Amino acid sequence: MASSTSGHCLFLALLLLSGAAYGQLSTSFYATTCPGLESTVRSVVSSAIASDRRMGASLLRLFFHDCFVQGCDASILLNDVGTFVGEKTAFPNANSVRGYDVIDNIKAAVEASCPSVVSCADIVALAARDGTVLLGGPTWNVSLGRRDSTTASRDQANSDLPSPAAGLSALITAFANKGLSAQDMTALSGAHTIGFTQCQVYRTRIYNDNNINQQFAKLRQSNCPATQGVNDTVLAPLDLQTELTFDNAYYGDLLKNKGLLHSDQELYNGGSQDALVKTYSSNHAAFFADFVTAMIKMGNISPLTGAAGQIRANCAVVN
């Protein structure tokens, strides 16, 4: 009986080891190696948002733009160096994605207490969660154990990140390609309840689209002229009412044809997501629950685990 029990324990131990080797993510991954990790991240993100409330949205977007290219591997953080071409200069990211400095500040703080233990990829995932929570959004347990890539793909960033000019079918396909459902896509789009975007991104929508509230279009046209190259970087809030609070107001905007991006309004334009948009607009708890589910799924896109990848000492360069 004793030998049978010890054999069973050995089998369990081997199973656990193989699980670690194949790298399932775990919410307790750093419980013993860096127990203060989450409070350290929260502290730095809190300071960043205190000085610039837009940063919560920027950190959330940084995670999204990372996960959609090669998976959640911090590839977006890598600088162009010599012949190495990163993703920062891809069209959806260049002069647009923000928060790299905040990630660097978190990394420095974490390295001070837990050197060479925590990946940049996990820091990006935690910062996205904390940015959401600190602006009034839902919280969730972030699964950890990702490792950092030694590669990046500007081509994939250009091809795989959904375009703000995309139609509904293209949006559904882009998310399906990453293992995310149409419902996940509509819930994740709710991240646009916080943050801003540039005139050059929404110009075509406010001058050319028919499914837009005309008063809203005129409001946005007032400082975003039709001429390309003029006021290109002028910012407008993605959520008309509460641009710095994570709530469900974004969906209410869509019901009134006040989505700022063409891709936003596509979610409520006589198509398959109309009913879900209505639900989210009237039931913030339903939106929060589905957003959390979708964020966890997105965080599980092709992570490098186990012996794959590395723990970068500097998030911007390969070791």
Side-chain angles (χ1 to χ4, degrees):
M1 190 71 178
S3 64
S4 166
T5 305
S6 62
H8 181 63
C9 289
L10 181 64
F11 172 75
L12 275 178
L14 288 170
L15 198 64
L16 287 167
L17 278 171
S18 69
Y22 286 107
Q24 282 84 4
L25 302 183
S26 161
T27 55
S28 59
F29 189 82
Y30 298 108
T32 54
T33 55
C34 196
L37 171 63
E38 297 207 21
S39 60
T40 300
V41 174
R42 178 67 63 95
S43 175
V44 178
V45 173
S46 183
S47 295
I49 289 175
S51 60
D52 176 8
R53 280 185 68 82
R54 280 180 60 207
M55 191 51 69
S58 298
L59 292 169
L60 182 53
R61 184 168 181 248
L62 183 65
F63 183 50
F64 170 65
H65 280 229
D66 182 35
C67 290
F68 260 60
V69 183
Q70 298 190 168
C72 309
D73 61 357
S75 60
I76 194 172
L77 305 179
L78 292 170
N79 288 336
D80 290 5
V81 180
T83 57
F84 182 90
V85 179
E87 295 161 21
K88 288 182 176 179
T89 49
F91 181 73
N93 298 334
N95 303 312
S96 173
V97 168
R98 305 165 73 236
Y100 300 118
D101 54 335
V102 178
I103 300 302
D104 288 341
N105 291 342
I106 297 170
K107 178 67 171 174
V110 170
E111 286 294 304
S113 54
C114 316
S116 307
V117 169
V118 180
S119 68
C120 300
D122 280 343
I123 287 171
V124 171
L126 286 168
R129 189 269 312 272
D130 290 349
T132 300
V133 173
L134 289 164
L135 293 184
T139 190
W140 59 96
N141 293 321
V142 178
S143 293
L144 302 165
R146 301 169 189 80
R147 289 169 66 86
D148 300 324
S149 68
T150 55
T151 62
S153 176
R154 184 163 63 180
D155 288 346
Q156 200 180 116
N158 282 324
S159 65
D160 289 16
L161 286 162
S163 165
L168 183 60
S169 62
L171 290 169
I172 290 172
T173 298
F175 280 75
N177 287 341
K178 304 300 174 183
L180 297 165
S181 68
Q183 178 171 305
D184 295 328
M185 182 270 293
T186 299
L188 288 170
S189 297
H192 286 179
T193 187
I194 50 174
F196 295 73
T197 195
Q198 299 177 12
C199 163
Q200 60 187 339
V201 178
Y202 63 83
R203 176 180 280 128
T204 303
R205 159 98 173 127
I206 62 174
Y207 286 100
N208 296 354
D209 282 6
N210 294 319
N211 61 340
I212 187 167
N213 176 286
Q214 285 308 301
Q215 188 180 0
F216 171 68
K218 286 186 173 64
L219 172 68
R220 289 292 163 250
Q221 289 167 6
S222 64
N223 60 358
C224 181
T227 308
Q228 196 168 351
V230 181
N231 283 11
D232 277 359
T233 58
V234 163
L235 295 171
L238 289 157
D239 171 345
L240 187 60
Q241 303 166 69
T242 54
E243 70 266 20
L244 293 173
T245 302
F246 197 102
D247 56 23
N248 63 336
Y250 163 83
Y251 297 102
D253 290 342
L254 300 185
L255 296 185
K256 300 168 193 162
N257 283 344
K258 293 180 180 179
L260 184 60
L261 304 181
H262 179 83
S263 56
D264 288 328
Q265 199 58 56
E266 281 290 293
L267 303 182
Y268 188 79
N269 193 35
S272 62
Q273 301 306 293
D274 282 16
L276 192 55
V277 169
K278 282 183 178 174
T279 297
Y280 290 161
S281 73
S282 62
N283 186 342
H284 92 273
F287 162 49
F288 276 21
D290 287 356
F291 181 80
V292 164
T293 298
M295 283 296 290
I296 292 168
K297 281 177 71 174
M298 188 173 76
N300 278 302
I301 298 174
S302 307
L304 296 171
T305 54
Q310 60 183 211
I311 305 297
R312 284 189 222 135
N314 175 344
C315 290
V317 295
V318 174
N319 291 346

